[in-house]
Amino acid sequence: MGYKVVVAGATGNVGREMLNILAERQFPTDEVVALASRRSLGTEVSYGDKTLKTKDIEGFDFSGYDIALFAIGSEATKKYAPIAASQGCVVIDNSSLYRYDPEIPLVVPEVNPEAVEQYGKKNIIANPNCSTAQLVVALKPLHDRARIKRVVVSTYQSVSGAGKEGMDELWEQTKAVYNPTAEVPPKKFTKEIAFNVIPHIDVFLDDGSTKEEWKMTAETKKILDPSIKLTATCVRVPVFVGHSEAVNIEFEEFLDEDEARDILREAPGIMVVDKREAGGYISPKECVGDYATFISRIRQDSTIENGINLWCVSDNLRKGAALNAVQIAETLGNRCLKKG
């Protein structure tokens, strides 16, 4: 006996990935329904070797369905998630709407799988921000060994984090560089993204940080440990898919780089590729389509007493969004719903 699953936002980048990953990981389903807005009604999407036609989310009856994976943005989620939850369907939400609600678990299964057991308060589980998800996967096993005091992270985030419009803007602006008669002014981003980097993701806050940077701090504390101090600089780069992060970690006790490398090699969800030679590391292009969070450039930081530097790369549409949501569904099923 499998699960009856709904994917809301099935025509978007993340929704399509959710369907792909449900099929790839052979999540036990009796029925899968693809939902979209009315303007996308009837659009065909792939689920394994099947083709699904999208149904209208407006007025959809969620009763009788076990799990709904939401990838529809905060505004639409605010309207439809409470409806689905009230009808007995557990919502796993990819938007930022519920991440900071103390009654709603924020889950990365490699880090805090036990948190899914708190889903019953509102029948909703939150999926973290894409840049946070890969970071805490890397931090968790090291924190268990030497206890993290402080993290300094600089992100190099791909345009797919801004949706299809971000990917289209990079593509069109890149073409325009080679065809100077065509001008493509910034719309999705604040400056031209082609052949450029933009140190600005989401809105600015009063203290000068951006909301993306604040998210990484707040979510790391909620998922991993509220005592960890974290400061972030989040940067958009002209890469289609795959987020990269340069991470500096200060521990309460000394951790040797070789031991850190061994710990990460044994940790769930992580692939270590760390050779001190040309090409002995992973770039974002190489991580696309993969489940793993890749760790490279592991080395001691001699400028502080107990410091390690590392490079962390992951497919943001997968571990940063769709994969993590499906892993939450798997964890929820194994720990709580127990079907399949």
Side-chain angles (χ1 to χ4, degrees):
M1 186 178 181
Y3 296 94
K4 295 179 72 175
V5 176
V6 173
V7 176
T11 59
N13 287 343
V14 174
R16 290 177 187 271
E17 277 296 292
M18 286 173 169
L19 288 166
N20 289 338
I21 293 168
L22 284 168
E24 285 174 14
R25 293 174 71 91
Q26 298 182 324
F27 187 81
T29 58
D30 282 348
E31 182 183 353
V32 177
V33 175
L35 299 183
S37 62
R38 189 158 291 169
R39 70 176 182 273
S40 299
L41 188 63
T43 300
E44 293 187 344
V45 291
S46 297
Y47 168 60
D49 58 1
K50 299 177 183 177
T51 299
L52 307 177
K53 282 192 174 182
T54 58
K55 298 182 179 181
D56 189 358
I57 193 171
E58 182 70 37
F60 182 78
D61 184 2
F62 290 89
S63 59
Y65 290 88
D66 301 293
I67 297 169
L69 306 178
F70 270 48
I72 56 176
S74 293
E75 283 303 310
T77 297
K78 191 174 184 179
K79 178 178 180 180
Y80 296 111
I83 294 171
S86 69
Q87 293 174 351
C89 184
V90 182
V91 174
I92 299 172
D93 176 39
N94 194 60
S95 81
S96 62
L97 182 64
Y98 295 114
R99 291 175 187 158
Y100 316 107
D101 185 327
E103 294 191 324
I104 290 177
L106 180 64
V107 179
V108 175
E110 295 94 335
V111 180
N112 62 338
E114 70 286 345
V116 298
E117 296 169 14
Q118 305 303 313
Y119 80 93
K121 291 179 181 177
K122 292 191 176 179
N123 244 22
I124 298 171
I125 301 171
N127 209 18
N129 190 39
C130 48
S131 52
T132 306
Q134 69 188 69
L135 177 65
V136 295
V137 168
L139 295 181
K140 165 66 173 174
L142 301 177
H143 184 58
D144 287 347
R145 161 63 181 83
R147 196 159 183 83
I148 295 170
K149 289 173 61 177
R150 182 172 184 258
V151 178
V152 181
V153 57
S154 298
T155 72
Y156 306 76
Q157 295 178 227
S158 65
V159 295
S160 58
K164 184 179 182 297
E165 297 95 333
M167 299 177 78
D168 289 346
E169 191 160 308
L170 173 58
W171 175 245
E172 295 300 328
Q173 287 180 352
T174 301
K175 288 193 296 181
V177 169
Y178 296 100
N179 178 17
T181 60
E183 188 174 340
V184 183
K187 291 182 181 178
K188 187 67 179 178
F189 303 113
T190 56
K191 293 179 182 283
E192 182 174 301
I193 186 61
F195 300 94
N196 199 15
V197 297
I198 304 172
H200 174 196
I201 301 177
D202 212 323
V203 297
F204 275 97
L205 305 178
D206 290 342
D207 67 354
S209 63
T210 64
K211 194 171 182 183
E212 185 82 358
E213 292 155 359
W214 174 85
K215 287 175 190 174
M216 291 194 75
T217 301
E219 292 174 19
T220 298
K221 287 176 176 289
K222 184 173 179 179
I223 295 167
L224 186 54
D225 189 331
S227 70
I228 292 175
K229 295 178 180 179
L230 185 145
T231 183
T233 301
C234 294
V235 182
R236 191 72 74 188
V237 297
V239 169
F240 282 108
V241 178
H243 286 357
S244 306
E245 297 171 351
V247 187
N248 175 263
I249 311 165
E250 182 181 359
F251 298 92
E252 289 188 357
E253 57 184 273
F254 180 76
L255 177 61
D256 177 76
E257 62 186 38
D258 292 327
E259 184 182 356
R261 193 175 291 108
D262 290 341
I263 288 169
L264 291 166
R265 279 200 179 105
E266 296 299 318
I270 289 174
M271 180 73 70
V272 174
V273 179
D274 188 21
K275 296 179 181 178
R276 294 179 176 178
E277 60 187 45
Y281 41 80
I282 294 293
S283 65
K285 189 172 182 178
E286 296 162 276
C287 78
V288 175
D290 208 298
Y291 289 149
T293 294
F294 291 90
I295 307 296
S296 307
R297 303 292 319 279
I298 302 164
R299 62 204 188 277
Q300 224 78 48
D301 176 6
S302 61
T303 68
I304 54 177
E305 192 171 349
N306 301 314
I308 291 281
N309 289 305
L310 57 83
W311 175 250
C312 175
V313 180
S314 192
D315 182 331
N316 56 293
L317 297 180
R318 290 205 151 207
K319 187 54 191 170
L323 171 61
N324 200 71
V326 173
Q327 288 177 307
I328 291 172
E330 291 169 346
T331 306
L332 177 70
N334 292 335
R335 284 179 171 259
C336 306
L337 304 184
K338 300 187 186 299
K339 281 188 180 181

